[in-house]
């Protein structure tokens, strides 16, 4: 899992979908995976770097609210933190882990998925970032409690 970003991402998406399904939600009814974001004319929306905006999950609430969830996995620094032998190394890797998660948060802010939810649907002005490992999430909260 710590070798390739694509494998990490696929792992996080798989866990997110499993959680939604195990919560009683049905794919295609209550949520959609890998749904391409379209503009009002039905064209794919591109990021600043030219990549198509494809959030991991769009959740459909009964009141027509749509919420975007994107899974982000930051394991490399977290793994180093867990394996560190010295307090100094633990501190350094904890800071690197928080930097990595903050980078993912900044990336999601730039994508601004909610602004592309179609008119007539209710939307929230935030995205949910799913971190599939509780230990990695808890370390972020310990190091930077306001980041959540």
């Amino acid at each position: 899992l710590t070798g390739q970003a694509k494998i990490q991402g696929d792992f996080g998406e798989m866990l997110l979908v499993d959680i939604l399904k195990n919560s009683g939600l049905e794919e295609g009814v209550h949520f959609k995976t890998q749904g391409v974001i379209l503009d009002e004319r039905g064209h794919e929306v591109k990021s600043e770097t030219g990549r198509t905006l494809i959030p991991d999950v769009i959740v459909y609430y009964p009141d027509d609210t749509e919420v975007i969830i994107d899974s982000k996995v930051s394991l490399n620094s977290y793994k180093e933190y867990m394996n560190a032998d010295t307090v100094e190394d633990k501190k350094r890797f904890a800071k690197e882990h928080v930097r990595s998660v903050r980078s993912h948060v900044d990336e999601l802010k730039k994508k601004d998925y909610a602004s592309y939810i179609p008119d007539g649907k209710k939307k929230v002005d935030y995205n949910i970032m799913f971190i599939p490992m509780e230990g990695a999430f808890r370390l972020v909260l310990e190091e930077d409690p306001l980041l959540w």
Side-chain angles (χ1 to χ4, degrees):
L1 282 178
T2 57
Q4 297 178 341
K6 175 69 174 137
I7 292 172
Q8 288 181 24
D10 290 347
F11 169 74
E13 292 167 24
M14 178 191 69
L15 287 178
L16 174 56
V17 168
D18 283 351
I19 287 171
L20 294 171
K21 287 180 177 179
N22 289 332
S23 298
L25 301 180
E26 295 180 45
E27 189 168 356
V29 175
H30 303 110
F31 70 94
K32 176 169 71 170
T33 59
Q34 298 293 312
V36 174
I37 299 291
L38 303 175
D39 64 18
E40 63 278 350
R41 295 173 302 193
H43 298 112
E44 291 182 357
V45 175
K46 306 281 185 184
S47 70
E48 293 173 356
T49 60
R51 297 181 65 191
T52 301
L53 291 180
I54 306 173
D56 293 327
V57 174
I58 302 172
V59 178
Y60 307 115
Y61 282 61
D63 68 352
D64 275 343
T65 299
E66 293 186 7
V67 176
I68 305 293
I69 304 176
D70 230 9
S71 175
K72 296 295 180 190
V73 181
S74 295
L75 292 181
N76 295 339
S77 295
Y78 178 69
K79 179 189 81 166
E80 296 296 335
Y81 166 83
M82 294 301 293
N83 292 326
D85 293 325
T86 67
V87 172
E88 294 81 20
D89 283 344
K90 280 201 172 289
K91 286 180 182 178
R92 180 168 50 90
F93 289 122
K95 287 185 187 321
E96 287 179 20
H97 176 61
V98 169
R99 258 193 307 275
S100 176
V101 170
R102 185 173 295 284
S103 172
H104 287 307
V105 169
D106 291 342
E107 175 187 333
L108 282 177
K109 282 194 303 191
K110 287 179 187 171
K111 288 182 178 178
D112 192 23
Y113 286 128
S115 69
Y116 299 105
I117 291 175
D119 289 337
K121 299 288 183 182
K122 296 178 184 173
K123 52 188 159 189
V124 294
D125 62 349
Y126 56 84
N127 304 313
I128 296 174
M129 186 173 90
F130 173 70
I131 300 175
M133 291 190 62
E134 184 175 352
F137 177 65
R138 291 178 75 69
L139 179 59
V140 169
L141 292 182
E142 290 169 12
E143 294 295 314
D144 191 351
L146 298 179
L147 183 57
W148 79 273

